[in-house]
Amino acid sequence: MKRFLVMFFPLVLSLVTVPCLAITENQEKVIVSKCSEIKEQLKTLQKNDARTRVHLGGRYETILTKFMTPLNVRLLENNLSNVELVENQNDFAGAKTLFNNDYINYQQDLEELVSMDCKKEPAAFYEKLDKVRQKRKIVEQDVLKLRSLISTHVRLVTSLRSKV
């Protein structure tokens, strides 16, 4: 039994300590051989994402400062304050801040990825690529949340309009 444990424990320990994202030999060869192309595609993605972020960020700011906030202030001044609209505005402001922070984190990791030498460190490059993909998905979820809050706000305003 001791012999079994002595042999079994290192095996289990090695399985636990192995990173969950292992790169195959074939993937490594592809990364090394297409490193320049991959980096160019990442740079293009970086530029496009930056433009999209500026566009979306500007739209979200406009919606918040020129639609949601003024409407809620006006309703409050006329004693027609709507708790759901105020809560939605607060949720939107929080989601917008989260979007900005998550995008900055994503962009920083993408910048690090672009600056890595994928020919010398294909495994590290692949791990960083996976991390960047996950952060990009988080930003995508933030955008979906903001869209949902905008739709909710429009629905609430339409409902309020029919009551007034």
Side-chain angles (χ1 to χ4, degrees):
M1 184 67 166
K2 258 186 179 180
R3 187 171 181 205
F4 173 75
L5 288 175
V6 169
M7 293 176 71
F8 183 71
F9 185 73
L11 176 64
V12 171
L13 188 60
S14 69
L15 291 175
V16 171
T17 59
V18 172
C20 59
L21 184 67
I23 184 171
T24 65
E25 199 173 306
N26 190 37
Q27 289 172 320
E28 193 171 312
K29 288 178 184 176
V30 170
I31 290 172
V32 170
S33 67
K34 299 194 181 264
C35 182
S36 300
E37 296 167 33
I38 293 169
K39 289 184 90 160
E40 283 305 313
Q41 289 175 354
L42 287 171
K43 287 176 185 176
T44 302
L45 175 73
Q46 190 177 28
K47 289 176 188 172
N48 291 339
D49 280 357
R51 281 189 218 121
T52 301
R53 188 244 177 233
V54 168
H55 175 75
L56 288 176
R59 295 288 174 144
Y60 296 150
E61 186 65 28
T62 300
I63 290 168
L64 184 61
T65 60
K66 296 193 178 195
F67 176 61
M68 289 181 173
T69 304
L71 175 64
N72 285 333
V73 169
R74 181 94 182 233
L75 289 171
L76 185 64
E77 288 172 350
N78 292 309
N79 294 323
L80 296 171
S81 183
N82 184 312
V83 175
E84 290 176 315
L85 282 171
V86 173
E87 286 177 359
N88 194 66
Q89 175 189 333
N90 292 336
D91 291 346
F92 186 83
K96 185 179 142 321
T97 300
L98 185 63
F99 165 76
N100 288 338
N101 293 337
D102 287 344
Y103 182 83
I104 289 168
N105 289 333
Y106 158 70
Q107 193 64 26
Q108 288 171 343
D109 277 3
L110 183 58
E111 185 69 35
E112 289 174 19
L113 178 65
V114 169
S115 67
M116 288 179 76
D117 188 352
C118 46
K119 287 184 179 180
K120 290 183 181 175
E121 302 175 281
F125 181 84
Y126 187 76
E127 283 183 42
K128 187 68 167 184
L129 176 64
D130 188 59
K131 185 177 177 184
V132 168
R133 284 177 176 159
Q134 291 170 7
K135 288 196 174 188
R136 193 167 195 264
K137 285 180 184 177
I138 291 170
V139 172
E140 180 184 359
Q141 292 302 313
D142 292 344
V143 169
L144 293 175
K145 175 70 174 172
L146 286 161
R147 285 182 181 175
S148 172
L149 289 167
I150 291 168
S151 296
T152 300
H153 204 79
V154 169
R155 183 182 48 77
L156 291 170
V157 169
T158 304
S159 173
L160 178 68
R161 185 176 180 194
S162 67
K163 291 177 185 176
V164 176

